[in-house]
Amino acid sequence: MPEKNYYEVLGVSRDASLADIKKVYRKLVRQYHPDVCKDKDADEKTSEINQAYNTLKDPEKRAEYDAMLDNPFAGQAQQQGGYGGAHDFYGNQDFQGFEGRFGDGQPFGSGDFRFDDIFSAFGQAGHRQQRRQPEGPIKGDDQHAELSIDIAAAYQGAERSLSLDMPTLTPEGRMAYTRKTLNVKIPKGIGEGQQIRLAGQGLPGFNGGQPGDLYLKIRFHDSADLYVKNQKDVYQRIDVMPWQAVLGGKIEVNTIAGTLGVTLPAGSRPGQNLRLKGKGIPAKTPGDLYLNINIVLPQAESEADKAAWQQLAAHYAGKR
């Protein structure tokens, strides 16, 4: 039996739903992550939380674990190392646990790497080692994940560091975890859906085999005011005053591509897009930047303001 009850580690009841378990896990893993928590045992606590979650999120593992809780003396020999932690490759078991270290898409990061969406699916079952006895060097499996970045990073390029618990093999062939800082270079012009390859950062190899690689598929932080389409076309909302929209003319706009002089057509309407060719993601063939017009109304903060609006109302009385 594991030393600690996994339900107690997460602070949930045995009949807790998977949704409740995920919610509690995400809260705890942020609270105790060593980059955030200053407690000296934060790293150990994080490891316990990940191990407990890796078992309880899987229906089969959870059922087996519940059976062990009900009959703690059954199957001890088969479960050395606990659930979801180090699995013995030489004992002909699945090589698992990598995804459990990161949780259900909730690993850690900083800067452009947000806590809640660095990876969407790290270490899926399809990337596990197959059951087999080792025969000569075996290369570790590649791992695939999604990396969410700010759109500005694609315009300028960026370099960030990311602290992760990475899997390693002990001399006995069991899996352990080591804290490692990865330097990730985000190249200027990278588009959504493209991948960054981190060589040797996938699953470890066996019998002297090389480790696999880690592939980070790029997606952008989108918002209603700024988002990407077709990998490299950027849409940004800009605010203009009513008289600017009516009269048109040259205006300066702060855009994701910098401060630009833009010619606003007379009679511009809300929701209309102004296309700036080649001002999107600066790829080999750059995308376009589309400025979406949003007309804002100035506040009447003084008597003079009110008088001006009254004159405008009188001028347009009866007109549509």
Side-chain angles (χ1 to χ4, degrees):
M1 277 290 295
E3 293 182 3
K4 293 188 178 181
N5 184 310
Y6 289 155
Y7 292 101
E8 293 176 356
V9 170
L10 297 182
V12 297
S13 64
R14 284 189 60 176
D15 61 354
S17 67
L18 179 57
D20 289 338
I21 290 173
K22 286 183 178 181
K23 183 177 180 180
V24 170
Y25 167 77
R26 291 167 182 170
K27 178 180 178 181
L28 290 175
V29 85
R30 292 186 182 95
Q31 179 181 347
Y32 289 104
H33 185 261
D35 290 346
V36 177
C37 181
K38 302 306 179 184
D39 295 347
K40 61 182 181 180
D41 61 345
D43 192 65
E44 180 181 352
K45 184 68 175 177
T46 300
S47 179
E48 291 178 354
I49 292 167
N50 278 313
Q51 190 177 44
Y53 177 71
N54 191 45
T55 296
L56 299 185
K57 74 172 183 176
D58 186 299
E60 287 189 25
K61 291 182 184 178
R62 185 176 180 182
E64 292 176 7
Y65 180 69
D66 286 345
M68 284 186 61
L69 290 179
D70 295 332
N71 187 4
F73 298 103
Q76 282 187 341
Q78 287 79 15
Q79 299 301 337
Q80 293 296 325
Y83 285 81
H87 287 249
D88 190 348
F89 177 84
Y90 295 96
N92 200 29
Q93 297 185 32
D94 282 339
F95 185 81
Q96 303 178 23
F98 198 22
E99 74 273 27
R101 202 62 176 178
F102 296 87
D104 189 30
Q106 307 297 327
F108 322 110
S110 57
D112 285 333
F113 307 104
R114 301 192 307 182
F115 277 157
D116 58 343
D117 63 2
I118 300 174
F119 301 97
S120 64
F122 200 98
Q124 297 294 337
H127 300 292
R128 293 175 180 168
Q129 296 285 356
Q130 299 297 315
R131 297 186 180 186
R132 59 182 180 254
Q133 292 293 338
E135 297 178 359
I138 299 176
K139 185 179 183 294
D141 282 351
D142 294 337
Q143 292 292 293
H144 297 262
E146 281 193 347
L147 175 61
S148 183
I149 65 172
D150 293 334
I151 296 174
Y155 272 87
Q156 305 161 7
E159 185 171 349
R160 298 290 186 269
S161 61
L162 178 63
S163 294
L164 299 174
D165 290 334
M166 304 298 290
T168 58
L169 284 180
T170 68
E172 296 78 22
R174 304 184 69 82
M175 187 166 66
Y177 293 92
T178 302
R179 175 58 55 83
K180 183 182 292 188
T181 298
L182 304 180
N183 293 316
V184 180
K185 290 185 178 180
I186 304 168
K188 178 179 178 179
I190 194 166
E192 190 161 49
Q194 291 184 315
Q195 296 189 111
I196 297 174
R197 173 178 173 259
L198 301 182
Q201 302 302 333
L203 291 181
F206 299 93
N207 287 354
Q210 295 296 314
D213 300 330
L214 170 58
Y215 291 87
L216 304 179
K217 185 177 179 180
I218 294 298
R219 64 183 177 89
F220 293 117
H221 296 313
D222 281 347
S223 68
D225 296 336
L226 183 65
Y227 57 93
V228 175
K229 278 187 175 181
N230 304 321
Q231 294 187 320
K232 56 187 179 180
D233 291 335
V234 179
Y235 288 73
Q236 179 178 347
R237 189 178 74 172
I238 61 170
D239 294 335
V240 300
M241 292 298 182
W243 52 87
Q244 292 176 316
V246 171
L247 301 176
K250 194 87 169 182
I251 62 173
E252 277 198 349
V253 181
N254 292 323
T255 75
I256 188 70
T259 301
L260 302 175
V262 177
T263 300
L264 194 67
S268 293
R269 301 291 183 183
Q272 183 177 340
N273 288 321
L274 303 179
R275 179 189 176 210
L276 303 183
K277 187 176 181 180
K279 295 298 183 180
I281 301 295
K284 185 176 181 180
T285 302
D288 298 331
L289 174 61
Y290 293 85
L291 302 180
N292 184 259
I293 295 174
N294 179 53
I295 298 177
V296 294
L297 299 177
Q299 298 296 313
E301 298 176 348
S302 66
E303 291 303 318
D305 292 341
K306 293 179 182 178
W309 280 109
Q310 287 171 350
Q311 289 179 356
L312 189 65
H315 179 79
Y316 283 99
K319 297 181 180 179
R320 291 186 178 273

